[in-house]
Amino acid sequence: MKIKKSETYKVDLFEEPHAKSDHERNFTKTLTFTGSELIGAIISAGMPDVYLTKHEKRSRREEILFKIKLFETFVKSSSKGKLSFDTSRRAYLDSTEIGAINYWIGMVLITVLGQKKYNYEFMVHLSMVKLFSEKIDTEKRPFVIKGKKVFKSPDLLAINVLEKKYGVFESKGYTDYNKKAMESGYTQAKSIKSINGYRPENCLVVMTQTGGNEIRMIEKDPEGENVEINIDLDFLYLYHFLPIAELITELQPDEYEGRVSGYLEYDNNSYSISIPGTLYKELSRTIDSGVWNPDDSSIYESLFDEASVAAKDREKILYVE
């Protein structure tokens, strides 16, 4: 498929009951989104964390173009906009390759789901939050896989700061529905009791099922328990928006009416990628120095007033259009 910015795309959503072992799936609604919103999810989903671990510069533009091409190569759209895994491509892949692509498709679509259905501003990877924040302490639950005990925590922490709303998302991507994976994801998703003192609005395990005629997403929402997380909001903004600011810098930024934009040219389309100027200015200090000093950072405070105005006008921090 070729993602078209004004085109409408659709994925059907299903829901399971709250009980772990109850796998009756019922259709709830169709998730509908534009090509621009899909590109925005690709830019946001799984953003690189190499900048936090190594002093290694790479092209963000090339990275995003590769991820767009990856999605376009293995996903197709019907005449009605319903997405599916391109079976003609699947035939040439082994199970490991299919698993990796299923995971990537799931991460992109769960980002769309979090933004469109649940009104979260952005998501961050919980494993990286844990690694780089001294305040966080997550409990990883044990699972036995092929005779070995492994420990896992949920994939994503979702945030809407202005509404003081947090969520926990565990993403699963499979060709066929997998009951065991859903149950292990259920255990992972329910491990978080509170985030910065607030009970998660959602503790979702979401399985993106790519087999069959259409991609479908299956949700299960257990109640959180046990682990309490406290984390610096500046860090969350840094982790999510720094690589986006780097992308905008690489695309020759332009400031207009309080927002800084970069223009991504792809397949005869031009995508404007913008964030508030106050946020870009704060992040630029880290981009220029290569070092983030938490004692000299006020990302959240500098953004709050502008974000409040944006929320009132139903705008978002990240715009892709």
Side-chain angles (χ1 to χ4, degrees):
M1 68 178 281
K2 291 293 183 183
I3 299 173
K4 298 178 181 178
K5 61 191 303 183
S6 59
E7 198 82 15
T8 297
Y9 301 102
K10 301 174 183 178
V11 174
D12 284 344
L13 303 181
F14 294 77
E15 188 175 70
E16 291 188 1
H18 296 298
K20 180 178 180 179
S21 58
D22 190 341
H23 298 287
E24 181 181 352
R25 298 180 290 282
N26 297 300
F27 172 79
T28 56
K29 64 181 294 185
T30 297
L31 182 68
T32 303
F33 47 95
T34 66
S36 291
E37 289 171 328
L38 181 56
I39 294 293
I42 290 173
I43 290 171
S44 296
M47 286 301 291
D49 41 58
V50 65
Y51 66 88
L52 285 173
T53 57
K54 298 177 183 178
H55 292 290
E56 181 179 331
K57 288 292 183 182
R58 59 177 62 181
S59 171
R60 299 294 185 221
R61 176 182 173 277
E62 290 179 7
E63 211 166 334
I64 295 304
L65 293 180
F66 168 75
K67 289 178 177 181
I68 294 172
K69 189 65 177 177
L70 182 66
F71 194 92
E72 290 184 334
T73 299
F74 296 104
V75 177
K76 65 179 184 178
S77 174
S78 72
S79 59
K80 296 182 179 179
K82 289 289 187 72
L83 298 184
S84 63
F85 197 121
D86 190 338
T87 54
S88 66
R89 303 281 187 179
R90 193 197 302 272
Y92 298 96
L93 302 171
D94 64 27
S95 59
T96 302
E97 291 170 323
I98 292 172
I101 293 165
N102 282 341
Y103 177 77
W104 169 240
I105 293 172
M107 289 298 291
V108 171
L109 293 180
I110 203 172
T111 301
V112 175
L113 179 73
Q115 293 171 346
K116 294 286 289 183
K117 181 178 178 180
Y118 295 103
N119 197 33
Y120 289 111
E121 292 172 329
F122 60 95
M123 298 179 177
V124 295
H125 286 267
L126 192 56
S127 60
M128 293 303 295
V129 172
K130 184 180 189 308
L131 181 60
F132 288 96
S133 175
E134 295 178 356
K135 294 183 180 181
I136 192 170
D137 181 22
T138 62
E139 178 180 316
K140 292 191 174 184
R141 297 300 185 85
F143 298 93
V144 176
I145 299 178
K146 295 182 180 180
K148 294 183 178 181
K149 184 181 286 189
V150 297
F151 295 85
K152 295 185 176 181
S153 60
D155 282 328
L156 297 163
L157 179 63
I159 303 102
N160 184 320
V161 176
L162 293 173
E163 295 182 11
K164 295 183 171 60
K165 184 172 80 171
Y166 299 89
V168 175
F169 286 72
E170 170 62 23
S171 178
K172 301 290 184 184
Y174 283 82
T175 300
D176 301 310
Y177 180 83
N178 188 307
K179 182 174 72 173
K180 288 185 177 179
M182 201 68 173
E183 291 183 359
S184 68
Y186 176 99
T187 305
Q188 291 168 255
K190 73 179 294 188
S191 64
I192 307 300
K193 179 181 179 181
S194 69
I195 303 162
N196 285 350
Y198 294 92
R199 195 171 197 82
E201 290 277 330
N202 312 96
C203 295
L204 286 168
V205 52
V206 182
M207 180 171 291
T208 303
Q209 184 181 338
T210 65
N213 296 326
E214 298 171 354
I215 293 173
R216 57 170 57 182
M217 300 180 78
I218 304 152
E219 304 176 74
K220 185 186 279 287
D221 193 350
E223 187 173 350
E225 61 179 30
N226 294 334
V227 179
E228 298 181 4
I229 297 175
N230 293 289
I231 186 165
D232 188 340
L233 291 173
D234 272 357
F235 176 83
L236 295 181
Y237 278 103
L238 174 88
Y239 178 74
H240 182 74
F241 288 105
L242 180 59
I244 295 174
E246 289 181 331
L247 172 64
I248 291 172
T249 298
E250 191 175 336
L251 297 175
Q252 303 301 315
D254 178 48
E255 186 167 3
Y256 179 71
E257 293 187 349
R259 297 188 69 87
V260 176
S261 304
Y263 296 90
L264 180 69
E265 305 291 335
Y266 176 73
D267 196 33
N268 297 320
N269 282 311
S270 178
Y271 294 94
S272 170
I273 303 163
S274 71
I275 59 176
T278 51
L279 177 60
Y280 182 81
K281 181 179 179 181
E282 285 289 334
L283 294 173
S284 293
R285 294 161 61 188
T286 300
I287 294 172
D288 293 339
S289 66
V291 177
W292 179 54
N293 182 359
D295 296 326
D296 188 32
S297 177
S298 57
I299 296 173
Y300 174 64
E301 288 183 6
S302 65
L303 184 62
F304 186 83
D305 289 339
E306 187 164 347
S308 297
V309 174
K312 183 179 178 181
D313 294 336
R314 297 181 182 274
E315 295 182 357
K316 298 180 291 186
I317 297 175
L318 171 66
Y319 253 118
V320 178
E321 53 190 356

